[in-house]
Amino acid sequence: MLDNSVLLVVLLLLLLIFAPQQGVYARWRQKQWLRSRAAMEDALMHLHQREHSGRLASVESLAGALGVSTRLASMLVQRMEAQGLLQVTAGGLNLTPEGHRLAIQVVRAHRLFERYLAYETSVSPAEVHELAHRLEHSLTPQQVEQLDAYMGHPLSDPHGDPIPTASGEMPEIEGQSLVDFPIGTPAQIVHVEDEPPHVYAQIVAEGLRPGMVVRVLERSPTRLVLESDTDEHVLAPVVAANITVREAPQEKLALEGERLSALEPGEKATVLRIDDACQGLTRRRFLDLGITPGAHVEVVMRSAFGDPVAYRVRDTLIALRREQADWIWVRRDGNGTTPHRTQGEDDGEVTNGK
Amino acid sequence: MREKVVHACESCALREQLVQMGVRVDRFDYVLALAGNPNTGKSTLFNALTGLRQHTGNWTGKTVARMEGAFEFNGKRYKIVDLPGTYSLLSASVDEEVARDFVLFANPDAVIVVVDATALERNLNLVLQVLEITDRVVVCLNLIDEAERKGIEVDHRALSRELGVPVVPTAARQGVGLGLLVQTVAELVQGRLRTSPRRVKVDARVEQALAELVPLLRQVYPDLPNARWVAMRLLDGDYNVRRALESGDLLRLARREAHDQELEQARAQAVSILSLAQRLQRQLEGTFRDRMVESLYAEAEAIAQKVVRRKGERRWDWDQRLDRILTSRVWGLPIMGLLLMGVFWTTIQGANVISDLLATALFWVEAQGSALFRALGAPWWLTGFVWHGVYRGLAWVVSVMLPPMAIFFPIFTILEDMGYLPRVAFNMDRFFKKAGAHGKQALTMAMGLGCNAAGVVATRIINSPRERLIAILTNNFMPCNGRWPLLITMSTLFVAASFPPAFAAAVAAGALVLVVLIGVVTTFVVSAVLSRTILKGEASSFTLELPPYRKPNVLAVLYTSLIDRTLVVLWRAVVMAAPAGGVIWLLANIHAGGQSLSQWISGWLDPVGRAIGLDGVVLLAYIIAIPANEIVVPTIIMTYLGAGMMTELESLNDLRRLLVDQHGWTTMTAINLMLFSLLHNPCSTTILTIWRETKSAKWAWLGALLPLSIAFGVLLLLNSIVRALQ
Ligand SMILES: Nc1nc2c(ncn2[C@@H]2O[C@H](COP(=O)(O)OP(=O)(O)OP(=O)(O)O)[C@@H](O)[C@H]2O)c(=O)[nH]1
Ligand SMILES: [Mg+2]
């Protein structure tokens, strides 16, 4: 008898402590969360995004975006309203000027960090967003500025979204959805939406990136066929709707050539360009080694297992992996014609040292 | 360290004037910096001038930290700083930053840019950048002997005219041209030589941006000699330059000293400069770097075209033919295995002979010494502590450690000097890629075979942080020289013993290759696990330079590896071994409750030891050996000897009797011990090095505990299986 009542008390106590939502522990966690920088910053980002797209956020949409209960979301809204970051209006949640300013800074940190992860470290594209989302909240304003300076004040994140300046200006991206872009006209991708993740993963898997030039070949209610430099891509309309394009600028149209990785040992070629999508560490390395437009490359040998291949660039033997060689666009040197770029030097003649 | 230069110098009056002063850099009149692309012979030149023995090697990134030395010429003292090689001053990997910051911020009196005459274009890219920073430059056109062999002729006079600074052709290894080089440098630093460095013509849009930024900089810093370059760095978003601007350091650069008031003013104006720079940078839409480098290379190409002449057919042939074989699908791996096998075989064969000789001699001394002590009436504990403790520890380490090292290091260094190591990295990269690691990890692993701490430092050549961490954390799985004696002893005593004597050495070498292979496989597995868990990410940014094959400089190699490496490593072992010998003797001779301390401790450790197929004494030895793995074998032997009835040990056969007959070791025990030695935690020096290199206690802990738990895990598993099968 006694035993049972003890057991009951213990059970009740445990319930009191660990009950989901209402338990002591859950409440403590909720309180911690409400006070956290992450919650506020994520909320600011959501409100800003909604404002940008023309529909105001609501408590429900906020709860959905942050993955918490409506009750908790409304507590967060109250808190932020008290701090003067937002106003609750009939139409939804409105950012105050102060809220707006903060939101831009959060967006800035997020996009800078995404860019850093994508180009300077080796996090896979599909994981960048997730990781940036978790880590961005721990950045101090100084670190954000350092990051910005370190990467040379970049204009856009890896998805093509503009990065706001330190003073809060944010250039708009101009373009239209790929879904209703005219057939046949060369289009340059300016933005790829990274939410929802499974759609984004599909776009990444197709190898479609901001900066790329594509052409719509055919369109039906169920699919869209695209042509890029090297491949044909078939996309569902929901996927295509997440890609923003604009008419490709003239200079991008002249693009031709093939990837360096397509060449066989013994073949020679001239570098046309480094792919736009190759940024950060890898691009700087290439440039340092003299892989610039006009440089001559000779494929020398494959390694024992075939993968890294050694190339001779400017009299130096350099091994590159396939992925790296993919970034380099070249024109095969035909027999007899050795294209040579003459620079804007005063004389093209070879002068003898007398 | 004061010695006259003996190398051939063309104007022999110079011989009398140049005095190498080694590391004595306390008082000097001028500071010189040695900059240049990797693997162009900077360290070789440094050694030739200072008489030091800085390590050189035929692969990119041999030097990763700066090194200072000195020489005297015509009564003036010069401090000379050897910098890590860099392709450009624009990038920012750890080793390259060292070079860049020195050239820019330390304000040397002259910069000697060492260039490779066989790849002038690529080297000129860096020269042109240095010329933007300073006009006190001498170009050292090195490797002319190699260029000549390849039928490449560089007109150094024309090059000098093009660049506007003196160019001196040299062959640093043979000592050719060094006199003239020093003479030229001396004239430059004393202001008797004027230079008018060539400035790069940049792309119109960059020029436009510069036209806005440079005047503002000049206005704030009227004395800044290289405002144009600072502006370029700001447009590129160079963090260090930006900071120098914000802190006012740039002012000091301009004049070496500045008043507080001026500093204050400069700092205030930094804000407006920076915001202008940022605006211009955005206008260039992040294309600054591309435009800049394209201009640099275009200029380099144009210059090279004027001064380089190739004679008829190029003679790459020998190199290429060798490469075809060494990296071929069929022969690549077998040759690598055979080379490794050969190195081990030679090491074991040679080491056996020398070891026996040394042991006989050193233990004879022990017998004489202790007899002398006894004759003089010293108390037993003094004789014991000094001769059977401290001295015996030393003697064991010397006789066991010295021979394999003295043989292994030179052979290995010769392979390194020939340029074979990067080919190994090239062949093995496929596996590294699969494991999410960098192919250059193969190079750092090779360095790890010598010393893990050195291997950890060498990881600086890997320029992506994630892959570098992986290389650091797994370097321990390459058995370092401190562990060789144990591995060699075990494979000779136990594995090879069951084969006819004629094959013994070959079998022992095979066993060693197998151990290294297990280490390599473990490295791949652990790397793969790391890059899928805590160091998540994809293999990235891989470039690997394959230098031309070079004839190894055998004499220099023998000197560096024997005198330098072997003695240094040996000294470390000795410093650790003598106190350890004392500790062991004390543990064996202080009794409590009828048992010696070492018996107590090994008794406690015994259950743990047994579980992994070893015993308490071995674990005790590993604990005592945390400072240096070298002393594991001596500690085991001495603890056994202290506890057993045999006190003298004169040959390997005695050792075998001690282990097998008295302490019940089996082949399985030996295998367990070898595995444990391969996998367990790195020595304390390595752990400290990890901490220094990663600047994080977390990684240092992981670097120590990860291998340790793997060692226990593997042995536990292996022994459970063996027990189950019996
Ligand atoms: N034939 C020839 N070989 C040379 C000459 N100078 C240096 N070497 C060799 O070139 C290789 C590289 O020399 P190092 O002095 O280590 O080069 P480094 O510039 O210090 O290289 P890092 O430290 O990697 O930047 C070594 O194998 C040298 O023996 C030379 O004048 N002629
Ligand atoms: Mg060096």
Side-chain angles (χ1 to χ4, degrees):
Chain A
M1 201 54 210
L2 188 76
D3 273 3
N4 275 347
S5 61
V6 169
L7 196 66
L8 200 67
V9 169
V10 170
L11 265 180
L12 274 176
L13 262 176
L14 280 178
L15 200 64
L16 192 68
I17 295 173
F18 290 110
Q21 303 273 332
Q22 304 294 327
V24 173
Y25 178 67
R27 276 169 181 268
W28 178 78
R29 282 285 304 270
Q30 287 169 8
K31 220 170 178 173
Q32 292 300 53
W33 179 80
L34 270 178
R35 286 215 196 110
S36 73
R37 206 179 126 189
M40 193 191 72
E41 291 187 349
D42 287 348
L44 283 173
M45 234 166 60
H46 173 70
L47 261 64
H48 178 260
Q49 216 170 9
R50 277 301 186 102
E51 219 164 73
H52 213 70
S53 63
R55 290 170 301 150
L56 283 191
S58 61
V59 173
E60 287 73 29
S61 77
L62 183 62
L66 302 187
V68 296
S69 67
T70 337
R71 192 181 61 85
L72 211 53
S74 76
M75 279 163 75
L76 182 63
V77 166
Q78 275 168 26
R79 226 184 125 77
M80 289 172 65
E81 193 174 19
Q83 288 172 346
L85 298 178
L86 59 78
Q87 276 172 333
V88 185
T89 61
L93 307 175
N94 246 327
L95 281 171
T96 62
E98 173 63 8
H100 201 77
R101 195 187 64 76
L102 273 183
I104 295 268
Q105 291 312 313
V106 176
V107 170
R108 174 172 155 82
H110 177 78
R111 293 187 179 162
L112 277 172
F113 204 57
E114 273 195 345
R115 186 177 168 101
Y116 175 74
L117 287 177
Y119 295 149
E120 306 292 331
T121 69
S122 43
V123 177
S124 75
E127 281 168 14
V128 163
H129 180 70
E130 181 38 40
L131 197 59
H133 214 67
R134 257 190 296 136
L135 298 179
E136 70 198 358
H137 305 299
S138 55
L139 290 178
T140 64
Q142 276 123 307
Q143 282 171 325
V144 173
E145 288 325 302
Q146 280 177 18
L147 211 54
D148 186 37
Y150 174 71
M151 292 185 293
H153 309 289
L155 296 175
S156 61
D157 77 357
H159 316 299
D161 282 316
I163 297 174
T165 61
S167 52
E169 299 149 42
M170 177 147 77
E172 289 290 322
I173 25 170
E174 289 154 23
Q176 60 187 109
S177 167
L178 182 60
V179 177
D180 34 51
F181 198 80
I183 289 181
T185 315
Q188 185 178 25
I189 300 179
V190 290
H191 178 236
V192 174
E193 180 57 49
D194 58 2
E195 303 263 3
H198 66 274
V199 172
Y200 179 58
Q202 252 175 299
I203 300 175
V204 171
E206 284 291 331
L208 297 172
R209 294 173 298 255
M212 250 170 111
V213 176
V214 294
R215 207 190 300 264
V216 181
L217 293 181
E218 76 179 75
R219 171 182 294 127
S220 73
T222 51
R223 59 181 220 151
L224 195 92
V225 182
L226 283 185
E227 174 197 53
S228 68
D229 280 342
T230 45
D231 283 317
E232 230 178 64
H233 312 264
V234 180
L235 302 178
V238 277
V239 177
N242 276 358
I243 300 176
T244 312
V245 296
R246 66 165 180 219
E247 210 164 294
Q250 278 304 311
E251 54 186 281
K252 298 274 175 193
L253 284 182
L255 299 188
E256 25 102 40
E258 53 192 321
R259 296 177 196 272
L260 179 58
S261 53
L263 271 58
E264 290 296 319
E267 288 187 293
K268 295 180 183 178
T270 307
V271 174
L272 295 174
R273 66 186 188 280
I274 303 173
D275 199 295
D276 274 346
C278 171
Q279 292 289 337
L281 201 60
T282 312
R283 190 182 192 94
R284 292 199 300 265
R285 215 8 157 221
F286 283 170
L287 291 173
D288 284 351
L289 292 171
I291 302 176
T292 54
H296 297 290
V297 189
E298 180 190 343
V299 189
V300 178
M301 62 189 173
R302 291 184 188 288
S303 80
F305 293 98
D307 188 14
V309 175
Y311 303 91
R312 191 180 315 284
V313 187
R314 302 192 191 267
D315 291 326
T316 311
L317 210 53
I318 297 161
L320 299 177
R321 287 177 179 167
R322 192 179 183 87
E323 290 76 12
Q324 262 102 44
D326 272 348
W327 294 128
I328 301 169
W329 293 87
V330 297
R331 181 169 4 92
R332 243 177 257 249
D333 293 350
N335 8 346
T337 55
T338 26
H340 215 93
R341 199 173 59 150
T342 29
Q343 260 306 302
E345 264 296 310
D346 36 9
D347 56 347
E349 258 66 78
V350 179
T351 45
N352 271 324
K354 276 178 209 132
Chain B
M1 266 305 199
R2 228 167 212 276
E3 56 180 282
K4 289 271 150 69
V5 178
V6 285
H7 55 242
C9 61
E10 62 283 25
S11 54
C12 275
L14 285 167
R15 233 197 229 178
E16 303 304 313
Q17 297 156 0
L18 180 67
V19 183
Q20 303 170 326
M21 302 204 313
V23 281
R24 298 208 334 247
V25 286
D26 40 325
R27 205 170 53 75
F28 50 83
D29 302 299
Y30 301 106
V31 181
L32 308 177
L34 273 179
N37 279 187
N39 208 24
T40 51
K42 293 177 297 300
S43 299
T44 310
L45 179 64
F46 176 87
N47 289 345
L49 291 178
T50 60
L52 286 175
R53 308 285 169 176
Q54 163 85 308
H55 291 175
T56 63
N58 189 9
W59 49 287
T60 291
K62 177 70 199 180
T63 310
V64 286
R66 57 182 245 220
M67 170 86 191
E68 298 181 354
F71 66 89
E72 199 180 291
F73 180 74
N74 269 350
K76 295 280 185 212
R77 287 169 180 240
Y78 295 80
K79 175 169 113 174
I80 182 163
V81 182
D82 184 20
L83 297 170
T86 102
Y87 288 112
S88 98
L89 299 173
L90 307 173
S91 255
S93 71
V94 186
D95 49 347
E96 295 191 335
E97 211 159 293
V98 175
R100 204 281 307 273
D101 286 353
F102 191 85
V103 172
L104 181 61
F105 297 117
N107 218 344
D109 293 291
V111 179
I112 303 176
V113 187
V114 182
V115 306
D116 177 351
T118 66
L120 198 62
E121 229 168 78
R122 174 166 58 75
N123 284 262
L124 281 179
N125 170 43
L126 180 75
V127 176
L128 290 170
Q129 290 179 42
V130 176
L131 289 183
E132 291 285 337
I133 301 182
T134 165
D135 45 11
R136 295 185 302 259
V137 175
V138 175
V139 171
C140 165
L141 184 67
N142 196 28
L143 291 152
I144 44 165
D145 55 321
E146 204 166 287
E148 197 171 325
R149 251 191 307 115
K150 288 181 175 165
I152 299 172
E153 207 176 87
V154 181
D155 181 347
H156 66 270
R157 284 188 199 87
L159 182 59
S160 171
R161 267 200 309 280
E162 290 290 331
L163 294 174
V165 293
V167 174
V168 183
T170 64
R173 210 166 89 175
Q174 289 80 351
V176 176
L178 300 191
L180 187 58
L181 180 71
V182 176
Q183 180 90 55
T184 312
V185 170
E187 278 173 25
L188 184 78
V189 294
Q190 285 160 18
R192 276 184 274 133
L193 220 158
R194 296 237 133 249
T195 60
S196 53
R198 178 184 186 122
R199 294 281 138 93
V200 184
K201 287 198 204 83
V202 285
D203 170 288
R205 272 181 77 183
V206 175
E207 200 64 73
Q208 220 172 13
L210 285 176
E212 277 191 65
L213 195 53
V214 174
L216 186 60
L217 266 169
R218 288 240 164 85
Q219 190 190 324
V220 181
Y221 299 97
D223 307 321
L224 195 65
N226 40 25
R228 195 177 144 88
W229 193 77
V230 171
M232 286 183 193
R233 297 315 301 138
L234 287 174
L235 287 181
D236 202 20
D238 188 313
Y239 185 65
N240 288 3
V241 172
R242 187 187 143 110
R243 252 212 342 230
L245 195 69
E246 280 169 338
S247 66
D249 277 353
L250 213 53
L251 204 61
R252 255 176 247 134
L253 240 188
R255 231 173 314 143
R256 296 199 178 200
E257 60 198 51
H259 302 298
D260 286 354
Q261 203 184 348
E262 279 177 304
L263 269 178
E264 217 36 65
Q265 222 174 2
R267 276 187 210 135
Q269 269 162 312
V271 181
S272 62
I273 296 178
L274 284 176
S275 72
L276 175 63
Q278 192 168 337
R279 190 170 59 74
L280 294 170
Q281 213 175 345
R282 283 188 161 249
Q283 272 171 19
L284 286 168
E285 294 173 335
T287 59
F288 174 82
R289 178 68 69 99
D290 280 59
R291 291 168 188 274
M292 186 70 215
V293 177
E294 273 170 42
S295 315
L296 281 165
Y297 266 109
E299 196 119 342
E301 245 171 61
I303 298 174
Q305 233 179 59
K306 288 187 194 165
V307 304
V308 178
R309 202 157 287 282
R310 285 175 202 279
K311 281 193 233 127
E313 28 81 68
R314 294 190 304 181
R315 282 192 276 163
W316 298 111
D317 280 350
W318 195 76
D319 263 38
Q320 253 181 38
R321 222 167 284 161
L322 199 55
D323 260 341
R324 290 265 146 75
I325 300 167
L326 290 181
T327 65
S328 86
R329 203 164 279 250
V330 183
W331 295 109
L333 282 199
I335 289 179
M336 206 176 88
L338 276 179
L339 271 175
L340 203 61
M341 181 93 181
V343 172
F344 291 152
W345 185 81
T346 320
T347 307
I348 291 176
Q349 275 295 45
N352 273 345
V353 180
I354 310 177
S355 259
D356 273 353
L357 282 177
L358 273 177
T360 316
L362 290 172
F363 291 118
W364 181 80
V365 172
E366 182 186 333
Q368 301 307 308
S370 54
L372 184 70
F373 264 48
R374 247 174 275 124
L376 291 177
W380 70 271
W381 54 265
L382 186 66
T383 316
F385 184 77
V386 172
W387 287 106
H388 304 309
V390 175
Y391 178 82
R392 187 181 284 178
L394 251 165
W396 268 114
V397 167
V398 171
S399 59
V400 176
M401 285 284 303
L402 184 66
M405 269 194 324
I407 299 172
F408 178 83
F409 269 140
I411 303 181
F412 185 78
T413 315
I414 285 174
L415 279 182
E416 182 186 342
D417 222 28
M418 278 173 20
Y420 181 64
L421 293 191
R423 268 75 187 178
V424 173
F426 183 55
N427 280 338
M428 300 296 289
D429 181 64
R430 185 67 185 274
F431 298 107
F432 286 101
K433 185 172 144 189
K434 283 242 165 73
H438 197 294
K440 280 187 187 167
Q441 192 172 330
L443 294 172
T444 66
M445 285 163 72
M447 290 294 105
L449 279 179
C451 165
N452 291 130
V456 169
V457 176
T459 60
R460 292 189 191 176
I461 55 170
I462 300 174
N463 49 24
S464 40
R466 193 190 69 91
E467 280 107 311
R468 178 163 174 231
L469 258 178
I470 291 181
I472 288 178
L473 293 177
T474 55
N475 194 272
N476 177 59
F477 298 121
M478 290 318 275
C480 68
N481 248 271
R483 296 184 259 169
W484 284 122
L486 184 141
L487 298 173
I488 292 178
T489 314
M490 288 301 123
S491 49
T492 316
L493 273 190
F494 288 89
V495 183
S498 42
F499 288 83
F503 300 111
V507 172
L512 276 189
V513 172
L514 202 66
V515 169
V516 173
L517 268 184
I518 295 175
V520 171
V521 171
T522 314
T523 304
F524 284 130
V525 173
V526 175
S527 300
V529 171
L530 283 175
S531 59
R532 279 166 188 69
T533 54
I534 49 173
L535 288 171
K536 236 171 166 169
E538 297 184 334
S540 74
S541 183
F542 170 85
T543 49
L544 173 74
E545 300 80 353
L546 300 172
Y549 291 102
R550 286 183 176 139
K551 233 181 276 153
N553 200 351
V554 178
L555 279 183
V557 162
L558 281 182
Y559 185 90
T560 352
S561 44
L562 269 180
I563 306 305
D564 212 41
R565 274 214 247 189
T566 313
L567 284 193
V568 165
V569 178
L570 192 69
W571 174 243
R572 193 179 84 98
V574 165
V575 169
M576 301 289 175
V583 169
I584 298 162
W585 189 86
L586 287 177
L587 286 180
N589 285 283
I590 298 178
H591 291 260
Q595 270 192 326
S596 71
L597 281 185
S598 61
Q599 277 164 329
W600 277 112
I601 302 176
S602 57
W604 292 326
L605 292 172
D606 213 47
V608 185
R610 298 275 166 208
I612 58 172
L614 299 171
D615 63 19
V617 172
V618 175
L619 289 191
L620 174 66
Y622 270 101
I623 293 174
I624 295 178
I626 286 178
N629 280 307
E630 290 85 338
I631 57 180
V632 169
V633 182
T635 310
I636 295 176
I637 296 171
M638 288 173 66
T639 316
Y640 277 158
L641 283 180
M645 35 217 158
M646 194 153 82
T647 50
E648 299 295 320
L649 201 56
E650 257 132 33
S651 69
L652 279 179
N653 274 333
D654 287 345
L655 183 58
R656 190 180 158 79
R657 243 178 291 135
L658 174 76
L659 296 178
V660 178
D661 301 345
Q662 292 189 19
H663 293 275
W665 282 35
T666 60
T667 308
M668 196 59 209
T669 321
I671 292 175
N672 286 332
L673 186 57
M674 286 165 84
L675 276 178
F676 191 75
S677 167
L678 175 72
L679 301 173
H680 84 101
N681 59 294
C683 69
S684 55
T685 315
T686 307
I687 299 176
L688 279 178
T689 309
I690 298 180
W691 182 58
R692 253 208 334 267
E693 291 293 312
T694 59
K695 299 187 187 74
S696 139
K698 186 180 89 179
W699 294 121
W701 274 108
L702 192 68
L705 294 181
L706 186 75
L708 191 63
S709 45
I710 291 177
F712 272 98
V714 166
L715 284 189
L716 213 56
L717 188 72
L718 179 68
N719 286 284
S720 311
I721 294 174
V722 169
R723 253 175 247 133
L725 289 180
Q726 273 165 0

